């Protein structure tokens, strides 16, 4: 799957992210940007996988970048971060791994099911961790910067 031409990955990840943004009733202004965040995160994931990163690290890095882009765009466009982060990470969700886990259970191959299921859980955790870490750091930095600016403005007034 990762060896398909990159333009196919870019096109369909953009369409998937925009489609999910439409499903979430995102404003029309944010649809194209949400699609771009999803496209960028998936493209980064694919490029990292082609450079022989493991699935968990690639998911963490791609989700972190999607989260950072979402935080910046939310401040720029004055919209909630959720409008950008959900379509941004939806392309990273390991749906095929979930399907294969259940398939192996039905087939009776519990060893393969356990291995696949563990990888899926770890990849999902890496996505969640990437979003949480970047969002926490960004908001903490943003609040510190805001308080410093308020102190400077208060000194000018006095």
């Amino acid at each position: 799957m990762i060896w398909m031409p990159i333009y196919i990955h870019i096109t369909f990840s953009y369409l998937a992210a925009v489609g999910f943004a439409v499903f979430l009733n995102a404003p029309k202004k944010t649809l194209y940007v949400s699609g771009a965040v999803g496209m960028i995160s998936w493209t980064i994931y694919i490029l990292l996988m082609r450079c022989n990163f493991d699935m968990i690290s690639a998911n963490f890095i791609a989700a972190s970048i999607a989260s950072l882009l979402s935080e910046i765009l939310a401040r720029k466009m004055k919209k909630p971060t959720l409008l950008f982060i959900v379509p941004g990470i939806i392309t990273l969700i390991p749906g095929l791994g979930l399907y294969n886990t259940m398939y192996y259970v039905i087939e009776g191959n519990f060893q393969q099911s356990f291995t696949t299921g563990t990888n899926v859980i770890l990849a999902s955790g890496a996505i969640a961790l990437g979003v949480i870490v970047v969002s926490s750091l960004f908001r903490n930095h943003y609040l510190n910067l805001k308080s410093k600016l308020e102190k400077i403005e208060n000194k000018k007034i006095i």
Side-chain angles (χ1 to χ4, degrees), residues 51-152:
C51 293
N52 293 326
F53 275 68
D54 62 313
M55 184 173 73
I56 298 162
S57 301
N59 271 317
F60 177 78
I61 293 169
S64 298
I65 291 173
S67 181
L68 182 65
L69 288 173
S70 298
E71 292 288 343
I72 292 169
L73 290 169
R75 302 295 187 279
K76 272 291 213 206
M77 298 182 78
K78 297 180 180 167
K79 301 283 183 193
T81 308
L82 199 63
L83 291 176
F84 304 106
I85 192 64
V86 173
I89 64 171
I90 198 68
T91 56
L92 300 175
I93 304 298
L96 181 62
L98 289 169
Y99 175 80
N100 285 338
T101 301
M102 292 299 110
Y103 179 77
Y104 293 137
V105 168
I106 292 169
E107 194 177 76
N109 189 352
F110 296 110
Q111 177 77 28
Q112 189 66 32
S113 172
F114 183 75
T115 304
T116 307
T118 303
N119 284 336
V120 166
I121 290 171
L122 290 174
S124 301
I127 293 168
L129 194 62
V131 171
I132 290 169
V133 167
V134 172
S135 292
S136 298
L137 291 174
F138 192 87
R139 289 181 184 165
N140 190 20
H141 176 71
Y142 184 74
L143 290 175
N144 287 340
L145 185 63
K146 192 174 180 180
S147 66
K148 286 179 185 178
L149 289 175
E150 287 175 359
K151 287 179 184 177
I152 291 171

Side-chain angles (χ1 to χ4, degrees), residues 17 32-42 66 69-70 73 84-85 87-88:
Y32 303 115
V33 180
S34 298
V37 173
M39 176 189 67
I40 290 168
S41 67
W42 180 253
L69 288 173
S70 298
L73 290 169
F84 304 106
I85 192 64

